[in-house]
Amino acid sequence: MRVYVAEDYTGMSRKAANILSAHVILNPSCVLGLATGSTPIGTYKQLIDWYNKGDLDFTDVRTVNLDEYVGLSPEHDQSYRYFMQTNLFDHINIKRENTNVPNGLAEDLDAECARYNQVIRDMGGIDIQVLGMGHNGHIGFNEPGHAFELETHAVDLTQTTIDANARFFASKDEVPRRAVTMGIKSIMQAKQILVVVSGADKADIVKAAFTGPVTPAVPASILQMHPNVVLVGDKAALSKL
Ligand code: F6R
């Protein structure tokens, strides 16, 4: 595993964007696995900036996102499709048909998960997968205790996650109860993994995930078994490594 320690969030975002840019420049039709959440927002901003300066071209780039809430339309401002449009896709020259986010409105979720796995396979796999990390070590919506061997699947959100998300919705009833997520197996099949972490509140889980035992109790710990992981974090998040 390669570790890059940045001074702060801006430095972390710049380094992560550098790494993604290298893929886009060296392989213009690369497959980027993307994440939502607060951590990668600065990385996406930096990519937009370099695109605006003429340094990056996304014409043939393809993307596949980690996860999506069940029951939210792509236009819902809390859906992950909406997040990707507003934080990245709407600001660069990527083709909408080259971007993939699980369909949270699918009637048959098993069929949707199978379709998504096939999309990833048809693309030839993921060249680099961006991952943020939850405070409990979750990656995607793979919460502690989930089996390592799953590909894309539907999950019931834990009450803690539902409660934490409630602030983004008009009422608690509107908070999605389920999500579709790439599984650990799908994530581990990516050729390279780029983990981004920021802030002192992530220091304990970063330490547990990368120096503790590999266990489903800390889903991100499985990344110790991946041959090509790059961890980019700011000083605060990496302080206990
Ligand atoms: C996002 C995702 C989540 C987040 C994680 C960290 O698509 O699947 O696993 O990466 O919850 O979120 P932040 O970056 O907000 O700390």
Side-chain angles (χ1 to χ4, degrees), residues 85-228:
Q85 290 301 136
T86 51
N87 284 292
L88 182 63
F89 299 155
D90 287 347
H91 309 286
I92 57 176
N93 66 335
I94 198 162
K95 295 178 185 130
R96 170 113 185 180
E97 66 269 26
N98 283 352
T99 67
N100 296 277
V101 180
N103 176 10
L105 293 182
E107 301 228 325
D108 180 343
L109 287 180
D110 288 341
E112 173 56 13
C113 294
R115 182 195 70 81
Y116 208 66
N117 288 332
Q118 196 55 45
V119 164
I120 298 171
R121 262 180 225 119
D122 290 347
M123 286 174 153
I126 299 167
D127 291 307
I128 180 164
Q129 176 65 53
V130 179
L131 293 179
M133 234 166 66
H135 291 102
N136 60 2
H138 73 222
I139 47 180
F141 270 115
N142 297 282
E143 298 291 347
H146 278 208
F148 278 157
E149 64 271 14
L150 290 173
E151 295 188 288
T152 309
H153 60 289
V155 289
D156 294 325
L157 302 187
T158 60
Q159 194 57 47
T160 326
T161 304
I162 294 167
D163 293 345
N165 287 347
R167 66 188 192 280
F168 300 118
F169 293 83
S171 79
K172 218 174 192 175
D173 296 342
E174 280 183 38
V175 184
R177 291 333 200 225
R178 304 195 80 198
V180 170
T181 184
M182 270 188 214
I184 298 284
K185 183 174 175 187
S186 332
I187 292 169
M188 289 296 281
Q189 282 169 344
K191 290 163 200 141
Q192 186 172 38
I193 307 258
L194 170 60
V195 184
V196 287
V197 282
S198 170
D201 55 314
K202 292 280 171 78
D204 284 327
I205 193 61
V206 167
K207 182 177 178 215
F210 294 106
T211 67
V214 175
T215 161
V218 182
S221 64
I222 189 71
L223 300 174
Q224 293 180 39
M225 312 296 281
H226 193 284
N228 194 357

Side-chain angles (χ1 to χ4, degrees), residues 6 24 31 76 78 87 131 145 147 153 169 179 217 238:
V24 172
V31 178
H76 192 290
Q78 292 304 321
N87 284 292
L131 293 179
H153 60 289
F169 293 83
L238 302 184

